[in-house]
């Protein structure tokens, strides 16, 4: 019988592992012992046996998402007599207590937020031996497809799954969230506006929307990281992820070293000066800004793929939503086919008493069949190839398929030393309190102060 332990859902948080030698799930220095009891990679699917495992889940009690996962667990219990899957809420406020369990050697058999190859703070769990290296199992042929299990995942998500140094794999994505440019497809059709593929296209679309009496872009002025999505994505195109991350997060070099930083700020200033943003956005919170987009008062919005589920109650019947990757920048020296994303990754404890059953849980959750049902019924975006777009996000699977790389959202700024530096300056630029050059100068001054350059 499946058991459920939950608390209220309030948004995923990340608590880094402290005191590395005490990290739990994998037993710290017990890595050799854990490896010795791991099942043979070639036979793990034949070794699935009954018994209990405890798996972390992100949805809260009473949600359709949880009911869906409970049905998946029930299916495994039916297929494997004696199997007993207990689901435990593994989101938000539950994380500190769960991580204490990992440090005490009593981690969940399968858990979230234990690994992300783009987050250095989370590499400690893998480095300490707490997590099972999944690569030997992912390299084996899945009987359901006749191909290696690993092949089913989009190559663009690999950097989230893989340790950047050892190249071992410690997590598989159950769902993705992506930063995309949404547009009102019906409005665009009515006014003969072409969905923007390039920055020049976006400027043209903005001018056409203004001519039609519609504010071009909805944005909130009361949440700086959402305004920062614009500078983040522009710099991705004009500078490139690695260099931006190096300057803003690692303090490597100065923001004045690459002209792409100023170019990006000038592009943003130009959009501001063209009255490209929602009238009154400075005092509009994100919920109201998103609502005005769906009410047809703005033609576009740059937002996470959670927009549709978050605003489901206010989307008018018949609203036609379009989804695009952020426009490319002609002459930009950055990444023109990358996009920002976050992956919710499942990891297996190296100390699990039933590793085959734990592997079966993540295999079942990430199967094309389950992911397709989850897309259609719950609206989750998948990192698995061949899974269609959710009904409310038409074309987003194609956007993911075309991306050459999914980059960590916000460059990691929200957890960095510069978290109180960058986005406040971008807000001042959008508010018209300073121009692009002044913004660059202020960023240069503050980043030098933070990093001692």
């Amino acid at each position: 019988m499946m058991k459920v332990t939950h608390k209220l859902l309030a948004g995923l948080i990340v608590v880094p592992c402290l005191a590395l030698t005490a990290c739990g799930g994998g037993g710290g220095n017990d890595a050799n012992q854990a490896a010795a009891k791991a099942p043979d990679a070639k036979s793990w699917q034949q070794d699935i046996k009954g018994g209990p495992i405890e798996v972390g889940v992100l949805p809260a009690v009473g949600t359709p998402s949880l009911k869906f996962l409970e049905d998946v667990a029930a299916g495994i219990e039916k297929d494997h007599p004696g199997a007993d899957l207990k689901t435990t809420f593994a989101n938000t406020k539950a994380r500190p207590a769960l991580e204490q369990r990992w440090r005490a050697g009593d981690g969940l058999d399968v858990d979230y937020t234990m690994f992300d190859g783009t987050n250095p703070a989370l590499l400690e769990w893998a480095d300490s031996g707490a997590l099972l290296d999944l690569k030997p199992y992912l390299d084996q042929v899945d009987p359901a497809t006749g191909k290696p299990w690993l092949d089913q995942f989009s190559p663009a998500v690999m950097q989230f799954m893989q340790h950047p140094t050892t190249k071992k794999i410690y997590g598989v994505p159950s769902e993705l969230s992506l930063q995309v440019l949404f547009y009102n497809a019906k409005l665009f059709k009515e006014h003969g506006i072409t969905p923007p593929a390039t920055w020049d296209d976006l400027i043209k679309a903005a001018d056409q929307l203004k001519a039609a009496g519609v504010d071009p872009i909805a944005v909130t002025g009361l949440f700086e990281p959402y305004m920062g999505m614009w500078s983040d994505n522009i710099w991705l195109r004009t500078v490139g992820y690695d260099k931006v991350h190096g300057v803003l997060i690692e303090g490597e070099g100065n923001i004045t070293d690459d002209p792409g930083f100023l170019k990006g700020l000038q592009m943003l200033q130009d959009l501001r000066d063209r009255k490209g943003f929602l009238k009154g956005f400075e005092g509009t919170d994100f919920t109201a800004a998103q609502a005005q987009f769906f009410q047809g008062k703005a033609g576009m919005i740059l937002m996470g793929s959670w927009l549709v589920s978050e605003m489901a109650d206010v989307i008018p019947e018949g609203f036609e939503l379009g989804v695009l990757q952020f426009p490319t920048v002609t002459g930009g020296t950055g990444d023109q086919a990358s996009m920002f994303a976050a992956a919710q990754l499942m990891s297996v404890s190296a100390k699990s008493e039933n590793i085959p059953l734990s592997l079966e849980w993540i295999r079942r959750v990430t199967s094309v069949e389950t992911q397709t049902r989850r897309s259609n019924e719950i609206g989750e975006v998948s990192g698995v190839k061949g899974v269609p777009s959710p009904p409310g996000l038409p074309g987003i699977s194609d956007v993911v398929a075309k991306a050459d790389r999914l980059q960590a959202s916000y460059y990691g700024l929200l957890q960095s030393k510069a978290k109180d530096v960058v986005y406040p300056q971008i807000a001042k630029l959008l508010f018209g309190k300073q121009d692009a050059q002044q913004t660059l100068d202020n960023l240069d001054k503050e980043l030098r102060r933070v990093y001692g350059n």
Side-chain angles (χ1 to χ4, degrees):
M1 177 69 68
M2 189 169 46
K3 310 172 187 69
V4 183
T5 341
H6 280 76
K7 295 182 181 178
L8 291 177
L9 176 64
L12 185 63
I13 61 172
V14 174
V15 181
C17 171
L18 304 176
L20 188 143
T21 56
C23 287
N29 294 325
D30 295 333
N32 291 336
Q33 179 182 350
K37 76 170 190 173
D40 178 70
K42 294 182 179 180
S43 63
W44 75 266
Q45 293 189 62
Q46 286 73 47
D47 293 339
I48 298 172
K49 58 189 178 189
I53 62 169
E54 186 176 8
V55 298
V57 292
L58 300 179
V61 168
T63 62
S65 294
L66 177 62
K67 176 60 168 60
F68 184 94
L69 292 174
E70 289 174 342
D71 289 345
V72 174
I76 294 175
E77 291 175 342
K78 179 180 178 181
D79 293 342
H80 301 283
D84 181 6
L85 278 72
K86 172 185 177 181
T87 60
T88 296
F89 184 58
N91 212 336
T92 58
K93 295 180 180 179
R95 291 310 314 165
L98 288 177
E99 284 162 16
Q100 281 298 104
R101 286 183 53 182
W102 277 88
R103 294 184 184 100
D106 184 34
L108 306 186
D109 294 274
V110 183
D111 202 359
Y112 282 89
T113 320
M114 301 305 298
F115 181 79
D116 181 336
T118 69
N119 186 342
L122 291 179
L123 301 183
E124 297 179 4
W125 294 107
D127 293 340
S128 71
L131 307 179
L132 183 69
D133 176 15
L134 301 173
K135 191 172 189 307
Y137 308 99
L138 292 168
D139 284 341
Q140 297 306 308
V141 172
D142 184 346
T145 65
K147 300 178 181 179
W149 182 7
L150 184 60
D151 285 0
Q152 76 179 37
F153 297 100
S154 169
V157 304
M158 185 55 64
Q159 66 166 333
F160 292 96
M161 300 167 60
Q162 189 176 64
H163 193 292
T165 303
T166 67
K167 305 306 178 184
K168 295 180 179 180
I169 295 175
Y170 293 101
V172 295
S174 61
E175 65 255 37
L176 303 174
S177 59
L178 306 151
Q179 290 184 17
V180 294
L181 184 65
F182 293 97
Y183 67 99
N184 186 326
K186 185 176 181 180
L187 191 64
F188 271 52
K189 292 174 186 176
E190 288 176 352
H191 296 285
I193 302 173
T194 301
T198 69
W199 184 260
D200 291 340
D201 293 341
L202 184 139
I203 295 298
K204 181 178 179 180
D207 290 344
Q208 290 176 296
L209 286 165
K210 282 189 299 178
V214 179
D215 291 340
I217 297 165
V219 67
T220 175
L222 297 181
F223 186 58
E224 291 171 347
Y226 281 178
M227 287 183 280
M229 279 187 182
W230 280 92
S231 54
D232 284 354
N233 279 275
I234 290 173
W235 282 337
L236 182 65
R237 302 292 187 241
T238 63
V239 179
Y241 184 90
D242 290 341
K243 186 171 290 187
V244 177
H245 184 274
V247 171
L248 301 187
I249 312 303
E250 304 295 338
E252 299 172 350
N254 299 306
I255 198 168
T256 55
D257 293 341
D258 190 310
F261 283 104
L262 179 58
K263 178 180 179 180
L265 294 173
Q266 290 170 335
M267 291 164 58
L268 200 50
Q269 179 185 334
D270 178 56
L271 190 59
R272 177 201 75 187
D273 292 346
R274 289 171 175 270
K275 308 296 182 186
F277 296 113
L278 185 72
K279 293 184 183 70
F281 81 91
E282 298 89 343
T284 305
D285 70 23
F286 68 89
T287 302
Q290 292 169 183
Q292 290 190 61
F293 167 71
F294 285 112
Q295 291 164 5
K297 296 180 180 179
M300 297 175 281
I301 185 170
L302 179 63
M303 186 48 60
S305 54
W306 56 82
L307 174 69
V308 172
S309 59
E310 188 172 87
M311 302 299 291
D313 293 339
V314 303
I315 300 176
E317 185 176 352
F319 187 92
E320 295 180 26
L321 187 68
V323 180
L324 299 169
Q325 191 177 134
F326 192 82
T328 61
V329 174
T330 303
T333 60
D335 308 309
Q336 302 303 318
S338 294
M339 59 191 303
F340 286 112
Q344 304 297 354
L345 300 163
M346 296 180 289
S347 299
V348 175
S349 169
K351 289 185 68 177
S352 172
E353 294 297 325
N354 196 338
I355 287 175
L357 188 58
S358 299
L359 291 168
E360 176 61 12
W361 166 254
I362 64 173
R363 189 198 69 80
R364 192 75 65 98
V365 170
T366 62
S367 68
V368 174
E369 178 185 3
T370 300
Q371 291 281 297
T372 298
R373 285 187 50 223
R374 205 172 187 207
S375 172
N376 290 331
E377 298 174 23
I378 307 299
E380 298 287 6
V381 180
S382 179
V384 174
K385 293 184 291 188
V387 175
S389 302
L393 291 165
I396 198 166
S397 62
D398 296 330
V399 170
V400 175
K402 292 176 182 176
D404 64 355
R405 192 171 177 87
L406 299 184
Q407 308 283 11
S409 295
Y410 305 106
Y411 297 99
L413 261 173
L414 302 181
Q415 292 82 37
S416 75
K417 292 181 181 179
K419 64 184 176 67
D420 297 323
V421 170
V422 178
Y423 293 149
Q425 294 298 329
I426 298 302
K428 289 180 182 179
L429 174 62
L430 265 64
F431 290 169
K433 294 183 178 180
Q434 57 193 27
D435 63 21
Q437 185 64 58
Q438 291 169 325
T439 302
L440 185 76
D441 292 342
N442 289 336
L443 285 169
D444 183 45
K445 176 183 176 181
E446 291 300 308
L447 290 170
R448 287 176 186 270
R449 176 183 61 79
V450 169
Y451 293 114
N453 292 350

